[in-house]
């Protein structure tokens, strides 16, 4: 039976450091690397990031949209990147933010979470805003295949608050939507050790989150370190007692050092060391 994602992630974070690096080949970054904004540039970029980092970081997170924009050839590059990253020991979180209902949600789950799928990833980002229950096909398939989910809960974009901070009138506890998603995830992870496989996306730029119960016994994927303004030293203040389960995501802060492989490795090592030090000091 496949070891659950949460256990594999905990091991990878302990061994390699708690860092997730994005693979975000947007056009401006391709240009900054001296590459054309075409399929050849996409392939060179992705191959370089995987070569530089897949054997040293805990998690790589390709953003599916930047591959999808090139059509079927871009998807082929994404498939190869996922395959090679996992073969080198990195866990792959597919950042696709899928969310739908019924058979459509099941099809999205099969695309990324079925062990025989060409795009099979260790975990998938999903949107719960058709109701948390709409994610059940993805939850079930992730459990079956030893994969995980990262559910959008408290995102760093300012627009997110109009949905995530809304209070549900039918909630006797007066919780807002973001807190409700965290509670659902805590229930999914109950009793799992060393860590559950169902995590939340919680922005590292959000400041004091002490009013939320972030101890969901699962990972917290935290965008915002680096270019968005948060620093590794901010993590304990933002995440409190849950900081050990935080998976900080850095994209531009590392990728801007490419295409030089050594520079990419040095940048990722610096962030991993800084994050580890901040967590251990908390």
């Amino acid at each position: 039976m496949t070891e659950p994602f949460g256990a594999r992630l905990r091991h990878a974070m302990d061994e390699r450091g708690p860092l997730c690096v994005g693979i975000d080949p947007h056009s401006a970054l391709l240009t900054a690397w001296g590459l054309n904004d075409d399929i050849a540039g996409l392939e060179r970029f992705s191959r370089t990031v995987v070569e530089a980092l897949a054997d040293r970081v805990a998690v790589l997170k390709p953003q599916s949209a930047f591959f999808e924009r090139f059509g079927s050839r871009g998807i082929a590059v994404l498939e190869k990147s996922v395959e090679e990253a996992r073969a080198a020991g990195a866990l792959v979180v597919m950042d696709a933010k899928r969310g739908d209902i019924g058979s459509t949600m099941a099809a999205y789950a099969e695309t990324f979470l079925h062990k025989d799928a060409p795009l099979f990833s260790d975990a998938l980002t999903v949107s719960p805003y058709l109701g948390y229950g709409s994610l059940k096909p993805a939850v079930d398939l992730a459990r079956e295949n030893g994969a995980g989910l990262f559910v959008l809960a408290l995102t760093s974009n300012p627009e997110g608050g109009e949905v995530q901070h809304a209070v549900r009138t039918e909630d006797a506890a007066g919780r807002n939507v973001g807190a409700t998603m965290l509670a659902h995830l805590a229930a999914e992870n109950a009793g799992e050790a060393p860590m559950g496989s169902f995590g939340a996306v919680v922005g590292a730029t959000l400041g004091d989150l002490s009013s939320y119960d972030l101890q969901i016994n699962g990972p917290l994927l935290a965008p915002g370190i680096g270019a968005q303004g948060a620093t590794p030293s901010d993590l304990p203040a933002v995440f409190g007692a849950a900081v050990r389960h935080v998976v900080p995501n850095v994209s531009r802060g590392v990728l801007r050092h490419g295409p030089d492989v050594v520079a990419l490795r040095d940048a990722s090592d610096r962030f991993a060391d800084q994050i580890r030090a901040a967590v251990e000091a908390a």
Side-chain angles (χ1 to χ4, degrees):
M1 190 171 180
T2 303
E3 187 179 25
F5 170 69
R8 292 186 288 121
L9 177 59
R10 180 73 268 164
H11 176 72
M13 292 167 66
D14 291 344
E15 184 177 86
R16 296 185 171 200
L19 177 64
C20 168
V21 176
I23 306 180
D24 296 355
H26 54 75
S27 58
L29 194 50
L30 292 177
T31 299
W33 278 36
L35 301 172
N36 292 328
D37 187 18
D38 57 18
I39 196 68
L42 175 73
E43 188 170 19
R44 173 70 183 278
F45 178 94
S46 303
R47 186 172 63 246
T48 301
V49 175
V50 170
E51 175 190 344
L53 303 179
D55 66 347
R56 65 204 308 118
V57 301
V59 180
L60 286 174
K61 183 175 69 66
Q63 170 47 258
S64 180
F66 293 125
F67 295 83
E68 292 176 38
R69 68 194 183 101
F70 291 102
S72 60
R73 294 181 300 164
I75 297 299
V77 173
L78 180 58
E79 290 176 3
K80 189 68 171 176
S81 298
V82 170
E83 177 187 2
E84 292 181 349
R86 298 187 74 238
L91 298 179
V92 171
V93 173
M94 183 61 68
D95 195 355
K97 298 183 179 69
R98 297 302 197 249
D100 215 303
I101 61 172
S103 59
T104 307
M105 189 67 236
Y108 281 138
E110 289 168 5
T111 300
F112 300 106
L113 301 171
H114 193 286
K115 62 182 177 59
D116 296 325
L119 282 170
F120 175 68
S121 303
D122 296 282
L124 172 69
T125 61
V126 290
S127 173
Y129 296 113
L130 288 172
Y132 183 84
S134 67
L135 301 179
K136 188 176 187 303
V139 171
D140 291 347
L141 197 60
R143 287 193 191 280
E144 180 181 333
N145 289 286
L149 299 177
F150 283 100
V151 178
L152 302 180
L154 297 168
T155 58
S156 56
N157 62 304
E159 303 88 351
E162 68 184 42
V163 174
Q164 296 155 22
H165 298 166
V167 176
R168 302 169 58 241
T169 56
E170 66 271 31
D171 189 330
R175 294 176 299 191
N176 64 23
V177 173
T180 299
M181 296 308 153
L182 292 169
H184 281 302
L185 292 167
E188 298 286 2
N189 293 323
E192 297 293 333
M195 180 169 67
S197 298
F198 299 95
V201 178
V202 178
T205 57
L206 295 178
D208 183 6
L209 293 175
S210 59
S211 61
Y212 290 92
D213 186 359
L214 298 177
Q215 296 197 67
I216 61 171
N217 191 34
L220 302 170
L221 182 63
I225 300 290
Q228 293 184 48
T231 68
S233 62
D234 294 328
L235 294 172
V238 176
F239 293 95
V243 72
R244 186 170 177 270
H245 284 174
V246 171
V247 188
N249 176 73
V250 179
S251 294
R252 283 171 288 176
V254 171
L255 299 178
R256 67 183 179 85
H257 294 279
D260 184 271
V261 167
V262 173
L264 288 167
R265 290 173 176 166
D266 288 346
S268 71
D269 288 349
R270 282 195 301 274
F271 274 109
D273 289 345
Q274 292 168 10
I275 292 165
R276 193 196 300 270
V279 170
E280 290 178 350

